[in-house]
Structure formats: structure tokens, C-alpha cells
Amino acid sequence: MRSRVWVDDHSAVLMLEDGRELLVTVRAHHVLDDKLNSTCVLSLAGIKDPKIATWDTEKILEHLRVSGCGLSWDRHWGDDDLKDREAAALLQSEEQFLGGIPREWLEGLDGKQFSETILHWVIKRAIAVKGEFYVPAMSVDVHKSMPDGSESQEAARCPAMLLLLQDIRLERRLGNMVPDVICRARRADGRGASFDLMIEAAVTNYIDQAKTQKIKLAGIACIQIRADRFTQSGKVPVAEIEEVVWSDTSVKQWIVHPWIDEEIKKTRRRLDAQANEIRRAMEAEARKQEERERKAQEEKERQEKEQEKIQLWINGCDERSLLRAYVKVLKASWTGEAMYLVGEKAGTHQALWKEMVRRKLVHDNRAVLESTSGLLRMLLQLEEEPSHSIGTLAVGRLRAAINDYMEDPHNSIVLMFALAKRRLEMLPSDTMQFDGLCTTLREKVGGGLTQYQRNTENDRLFAMLFPSIAADIASEYGTSDYYAKMRVQKQLQVAHEKRRAARKALVRSGRQRQGEEKRALAVKSALDAVAGTLKWRDFPFGDPSPVQLYAQHNGKARLQGLSVLEFYKKAEQYRKQRDSVDNALRAMSFTTEKDVASAVSLLLHAKLCVDLSSRA
């Protein structure tokens, strides 16, 4: 080259990774030294994307596209070498991305058909070249209705495994089908027999129901490789596709599994065995239930016969025999013999109780009466055991009942009756306590405290069982009638006291009235006696003051119902009004005839009056 053309700036396109195109200016600085060595430094102008700033030179040149500038080589000295390298690169690219597919297979195909044909070929070639094949697991749920009405489910499962492929044939007819691959397969672990395997490479067309039925009729195992499940798309090397086809079980789908039917049969046999076990258990339980019902019926019939026998005896026995039988059963139940509580003799216990209720020997208070800590058991112990061994306990029970804690106070009187019969047999300490408790109880009953009122529901029972206290029980002491009579007596006493108090008040009132009348008559007589004997004096040099008059009297006389000062005030008032001395005296509140004489004495002493009788 002897000459050169300088192109300082040239428009270019920079292809971004997200598909956008950026228009830039390529600026060249070209230097040619003396030895004709050319150095060209390129720079870009107009870059406005910040991502480009992180790219290195090689990446920028890789994405830079320069349009034609009007110059082109007609022939270059390196054309042959370029052609050889281009042919080698083409062969390498074909091997990498086409997998050695015959060129004639691709002629006349459009883009989509081209890609699908290559992918279909690569899948089949990978199977044929590798000779090994990982297959996925397969699981089928097996259901069975059990004899007990439940629904059982178990999965028939064949695990994932590596298969070794032999006698691999591509596109060979099998009946009315042409499988992509047909071969002889066996497990890599050596277990089981080898089997025929049909492999379908499904790129666009997938196995439908009709083809599945054909495969099943052919009696051959079949697995489908689904290209739509490949995780990669676009330009992918053949080696990567082969790796996916060989090892990735997620892209494979069993159409007909060679052993799944056998596994389903095994699973069904296990479920059948389970159903048989349930059926046998149900039959055994039914037999046991029949046996229980038979025994229950026999027991019922036996109890009915026993009850008939007991009822006949009950109907013919007197009350004392009935009570003796009841006490015998009751003692047995207290000692823990379950036969009288829930066992075979429980019916006897119930029959005796019902008969006693019918004969009005007891009331419907069975739980209270039969309590192991109840009054009946204590009375039986007092009747049967030595007093020195049971007395202390019984006295303690009486104390608890009287003090209204732990024991029922309604039972205290009956317990006192029973203990009184054994008093002479008690220990001295128990006797002293018992006497004090009896005094306390009688005071409480006499005071009308109703919590100690005796419960008479079981009086007939206690009287017949314990004749020693029958007379006490027959008495009214502590009963509701006893309390009622006490209330009536108290009411009569209160009424009598009220009447007596009223009479006393009436007498006092009469006597008081008579005394007042007598005193009033005496005062009147005294006033009449002095009537006309006194006359007011005149004071020409000024009226005297009541206070001065009171100061002058110096205790000469006293009045019972009136103070001396008030007397002088009232007298001076009447004098000033020119009213008579007689009217003034009658206006005073005299209570005795002595007050009249004292009043006259006070008037004369104060010189308020003149005594007319003395002048005569």
C-alpha cells in the first residue's frame, strides 16, 4: 500500500445486552511511522449509557457494529487461509450445535422446523451414543375400601434408577408404530431381568391417549422425553443437551413402566391382607360381642330368678327380719364386698331398700343413711362394740355435731340418746365430757336453735334396730313438734308479759291521775282559802324589779314546779295589768297546796301585797 485515505469520524452502532442499539461516533487517530508501521487509536463519542463505562475494550469491540464505508477487498492474500479457517469453524459449529445431523435432512426447512428437527436428532443421538439412561421414579396411589368402612390408601412406587441400554435402534418399525428409539434395557445394579424399552423424543408432538393405548397393547415399556421441560432454550451446545437427556429425570415421563403393574399388584395384595386382618378382627370382635351378650343374657336371667326368689322372701318376711337382712348386707358393703355394691348381690341390696321405702321404714335418703361415716353405722358400733373402745370416738362425734362442724347437728340428739344408755360403761374422762356436752345440747335446744332439731325420717328404723333408745326416739324431744310447742309457749309467755305490763301501766296511770286530781283539789282549796285576803300595793316612787325582789327573798320559801324568779316576774306582770292577786295566783303552775302558802309568803315578804285579813 503506497497511499492512504484518512477517515477521522465514522458513525457506528453499539449493541447493548438488553437488545437496544446505541448510535455512536468512532473517532480514529492514525499514525504511520518511517517503516510504514501503522498504529490506529479509536475512541467513541456520543455514549450516554452508564453501563458502557464498566465494559473493557474487548467487550466494546465485540458489540460494535460499523456500517460499510465504501471500501471492500476484491482479493486478499489471506483469503485461502480464511476459507480454511471458516470451513473448520463451520464444521466445529455444526458438531457443537447440530450434532452431526445429515445436511439433507435440513434442506427446505424453515426456522422452527429446523430447530425442532435438530433437537429431535440430538436427543436420539444422545441416547444412542451414551448407552446409559437415568429414569425417574413412578408412583401410583392405590385405594381400597376396608370392611370397617374406612378408606385406605398406599402408593405403589418404583424408584428412580440408572438403566443400561443395549441393541439401540433408531426409527425402527414396531408393529404399526415407528419409535424414535427402541432398545433392550436392564438395571445398572444388576437386579431384575432386562426388558424392551421404547423411548420417544417429544419436541412438539406428545404421546396422547390413543398412542398410549397402542403402546400398552404392544406390551412394551415406554418413556417420553419432553423438550418443553428443558431448562435452557435458544442456542445450546449439543453436549449440554446430551447431559440433560442422560441425567435429568425431570424432563422424562413414564408412559408405560415395566414394573409398576407388578408393584400395584403387590400394593393391592398388601391392602387385601390389611382388609382381611380387619375383617378377621371384626369377626373376632363380633364373636366376643355375641359371647358377652350371651353371658349378659344368662346373668340377667340368673339375676331375675334370684330377684324372684328374694322378692318371694321379702313379701313373706316381717319388718324385723327385713331389717336384719338389710343390716347384714349393709355391713358387708361397708367392709368392701363389691358383690353387694356392683356385683351379683347388688340386686338384693336394691330390693331390700325398695321394700323398706315401701313399708315407710326409711325415706329416699339412701346415700346419707348408708354412708360409712353416717349416724347408722355409729349407732351399730355403739350397739355391738365395747363402750371403752368406741366411747371416745362417739363422744368426739357428738362434740363435732354440737359445735356444728364435720358432723350433721340434726343427728346430735339421737347420738346423745344412744350414748346415754352406755354412760355407765364409759371411761371417767369420756363420762365427764359427755355430761358437759349433754348440758350444752339441751341449752341449745331449749334456746330454740333449729339447727339441732331432730331428723325423724328414720325414727322407725332406729327404734326397731335399737330397742334401748326406742322410748327416747318416740318422745317429742328435739322434734319439729317439740320446737313448735316451745315457740307457742314462748309466744304465750310473751303475750302474758305484755298483758301484765299493760295492766301495770294502767294501774300506774290511774294512780298518777288520782294523785294529780287530789293535788289539784288541794291546790284549789288552798287558793280558795286565801281568796280575797290579798291586795296589790302601790309604789309611788317606781315599780320594783323582779330581780331585786328575788335577791331580797333570801331563800324564805321554795316552789316545786316554778322558780322563784319566774314567780316574781309573773306576779309583777299581773300587778302592772291591775289584775287581781287571786287571778295571778290561779295562773301559777302550783303542784301542791304547800306551794300556795309559799307563794303567799313570798308576796308578803316582797311587800307586793297587803294582807287584808290581818287588818280585820
Side-chain angles (χ1 to χ4, degrees):
M1 180 180 294
R2 297 298 182 182
S3 62
R4 61 184 178 181
V5 177
W6 297 97
V7 179
D8 294 334
D9 293 338
H10 189 75
S11 296
V13 175
L14 190 61
M15 305 294 293
L16 301 183
E17 292 181 332
D18 57 6
R20 292 181 296 135
E21 297 181 357
L22 185 64
L23 183 63
V24 299
T25 300
V26 181
R27 184 160 294 159
H29 180 68
H30 195 192
V31 178
L32 189 64
D33 60 15
D34 295 338
K35 296 181 181 181
L36 299 180
N37 293 322
S38 177
T39 302
C40 183
V41 179
L42 300 180
S43 61
L44 300 180
I47 299 178
K48 298 179 180 181
D49 196 308
K51 293 183 179 180
I52 308 298
T54 61
W55 290 7
D56 56 18
T57 303
E58 295 297 329
K59 192 169 184 179
I60 292 174
L61 291 176
E62 180 182 350
H63 290 76
L64 190 64
R65 303 289 183 268
V66 182
S67 59
C69 59
L71 298 178
S72 62
W73 286 101
D74 181 56
R75 181 176 176 78
H76 192 274
W77 62 85
D79 283 349
D80 293 337
D81 184 46
L82 290 175
K83 288 180 180 179
D84 292 340
R85 283 188 289 174
E86 181 180 357
L90 180 60
L91 289 175
Q92 183 180 0
S93 179
E94 287 180 351
E95 181 62 27
Q96 183 180 5
F97 296 104
L98 300 182
I101 187 172
R103 290 175 177 269
E104 61 271 15
W105 288 15
L106 305 177
E107 293 178 359
L109 300 178
D110 58 20
K112 182 179 180 182
Q113 293 173 339
F114 188 89
S115 299
E116 291 174 354
T117 302
I118 293 174
L119 183 57
H120 194 266
W121 164 262
V122 170
I123 292 173
K124 293 189 293 182
R125 180 178 178 274
I127 297 171
V129 170
K130 192 68 176 179
E132 294 180 350
F133 197 58
Y134 275 102
V135 293
M138 186 173 184
S139 179
V140 177
D141 290 335
V142 181
H143 300 264
K144 184 173 181 63
S145 297
M146 294 298 171
D148 59 357
S150 64
E151 188 74 16
S152 186
Q153 173 183 320
E154 186 177 342
R157 189 175 185 277
C158 293
M161 66 186 70
L162 176 63
L163 296 180
L164 302 180
L165 308 181
Q166 297 175 338
D167 192 16
I168 300 172
R169 291 157 287 169
L170 306 180
E171 303 288 346
R172 295 290 182 89
R173 178 171 293 279
L174 179 64
N176 57 354
M177 298 180 292
V178 181
D180 291 331
V181 178
I182 189 170
C183 62
R184 193 72 180 171
R186 61 182 176 86
R187 295 175 58 157
D189 58 9
R191 298 171 59 185
S194 60
F195 59 93
D196 291 328
L197 176 63
M198 173 178 166
I199 303 174
E200 288 292 313
V203 178
T204 55
N205 297 323
Y206 306 104
I207 297 177
D208 56 13
Q209 190 64 34
K211 189 171 181 179
T212 299
Q213 191 62 30
K214 289 182 180 181
I215 296 171
K216 289 181 178 180
L217 291 174
I220 188 172
C222 177
I223 193 167
Q224 177 177 229
I225 301 174
R226 297 186 57 131
D228 60 332
R229 297 183 181 178
F230 287 5
T231 57
Q232 295 182 344
S233 61
K235 197 173 181 181
V236 182
V238 170
E240 294 184 17
I241 297 176
E242 289 177 343
E243 179 66 22
V244 170
V245 171
W246 173 65
S247 62
D248 191 350
T249 58
S250 65
V251 303
K252 299 161 188 170
Q253 175 188 10
W254 280 107
I255 304 301
V256 177
H257 197 284
W259 306 299
I260 193 63
D261 288 343
E262 184 61 29
E263 290 299 321
I264 291 174
K265 291 178 182 178
K266 291 180 181 178
T267 303
R268 285 175 177 165
R269 286 195 292 269
R270 286 194 296 271
L271 291 176
D272 290 342
Q274 183 180 347
N276 291 334
E277 185 65 25
I278 293 174
R279 186 179 295 105
R280 285 192 294 270
M282 291 176 64
E283 292 172 353
E285 181 60 28
R287 288 192 296 271
K288 290 179 181 179
Q289 181 62 26
E290 290 176 358
E291 182 65 17
R292 287 194 292 268
E293 291 177 355
R294 184 186 63 77
K295 290 182 178 180
Q297 183 62 29
E298 291 177 354
E299 178 63 18
K300 181 181 178 181
E301 293 174 356
R302 188 194 66 77
Q303 289 183 3
E304 288 176 352
K305 291 180 181 179
E306 183 70 18
Q307 287 299 109
E308 290 177 1
K309 180 180 178 182
I310 293 171
Q311 197 60 46
L312 287 174
W313 178 84
I314 288 175
N315 294 338
C317 74
D318 57 16
E319 292 181 348
R320 294 191 179 277
S321 299
L322 180 65
L323 289 178
R324 282 196 298 270
Y326 172 71
V327 170
K328 180 180 178 182
V329 169
L330 196 56
K331 288 179 179 179
S333 65
W334 282 337
T335 58
E337 294 187 24
M339 58 184 294
Y340 290 103
L341 299 174
V342 294
E344 59 182 5
K345 295 292 185 179
T348 302
H349 192 173
Q350 182 67 19
L352 292 172
W353 176 262
K354 286 183 177 180
E355 183 63 20
M356 288 194 302
V357 172
R358 191 186 69 81
R359 298 191 188 189
K360 293 183 171 45
L361 293 173
V362 292
H363 287 262
D364 195 10
N365 55 351
R366 180 174 174 180
V368 176
L369 185 64
E370 296 184 356
S371 172
T372 56
S373 60
L375 178 63
L376 177 58
R377 187 172 189 184
M378 177 57 68
L379 294 177
L380 287 171
Q381 288 175 323
L382 282 172
E383 188 77 13
E384 298 169 357
E385 298 182 22
S387 180
H388 65 271
S389 64
I390 195 64
T392 302
L393 175 62
V395 171
R397 289 278 295 273
L398 180 61
R399 181 188 307 107
I402 293 174
N403 293 330
D404 196 18
Y405 65 89
M406 293 177 60
E407 300 294 335
D408 186 357
H410 292 288
N411 295 327
S412 56
I413 294 178
V414 177
L415 186 55
M416 181 182 69
F417 290 159
L419 281 169
K421 301 304 178 183
R422 307 291 297 273
R423 181 179 178 279
L424 297 178
E425 304 172 24
M426 292 182 186
L427 298 174
S429 58
D430 292 337
T431 303
M432 184 180 300
Q433 292 187 44
F434 173 68
D435 291 343
L437 292 172
C438 289
T439 301
T440 301
L441 180 57
R442 293 186 184 281
E443 289 176 353
K444 290 180 179 294
V445 174
L449 298 179
T450 56
Q451 62 263 39
Y452 298 98
Q453 178 177 311
R454 181 155 58 92
N455 187 349
T456 59
E457 288 182 346
N458 300 314
D459 278 2
R460 285 192 65 198
L461 174 70
F462 291 156
M464 295 182 69
L465 288 177
F466 313 108
S468 60
I469 61 173
D472 294 323
I473 290 176
S475 69
E476 288 187 347
Y477 183 74
T479 63
S480 59
D481 292 340
Y482 183 82
Y483 273 83
K485 288 181 178 180
M486 280 200 306
R487 286 193 296 270
V488 171
Q489 185 177 359
K490 287 182 179 181
Q491 290 171 359
L492 292 174
Q493 184 177 357
V494 169
H496 175 71
E497 292 296 333
K498 286 182 178 180
R499 289 194 298 271
R500 183 179 179 184
R503 286 196 300 270
K504 288 182 178 180
L506 185 60
V507 170
R508 285 195 301 269
S509 176
R511 289 177 179 175
Q512 183 178 0
R513 185 173 63 255
Q514 290 175 357
E516 290 174 354
E517 291 175 352
K518 185 177 180 180
R519 286 191 296 272
L521 183 61
V523 170
K524 183 177 181 301
S525 298
L527 290 173
D528 291 341
V530 299
T533 63
L534 297 176
K535 180 182 178 182
W536 298 115
R537 286 185 62 189
D538 292 329
F539 296 91
F541 301 104
D543 295 331
S545 170
V547 177
Q548 293 174 350
L549 296 176
Y550 175 72
Q552 293 173 4
H553 93 285
N554 195 21
K556 296 295 183 180
R558 293 180 180 276
L559 300 175
Q560 292 186 12
L562 188 66
S563 69
V564 175
L565 179 60
E566 291 296 324
F567 172 76
Y568 278 134
K569 287 181 179 180
K570 189 172 289 189
E572 181 63 17
Q573 180 182 355
Y574 273 81
R575 191 188 70 79
K576 288 181 179 181
Q577 294 175 357
R578 302 295 181 178
D579 204 344
S580 66
V581 177
D582 293 340
N583 290 339
L585 290 174
R586 294 184 187 280
M588 302 297 177
S589 301
F590 297 135
T591 58
T592 65
E593 67 274 15
K594 291 181 179 180
D595 283 350
V596 177
S598 297
V600 172
S601 177
L602 288 172
L603 290 175
L604 294 175
H605 177 73
K607 296 180 180 182
L608 289 176
C609 294
V610 177
D611 187 358
L612 298 178
S613 63
S614 62
R615 291 183 179 182

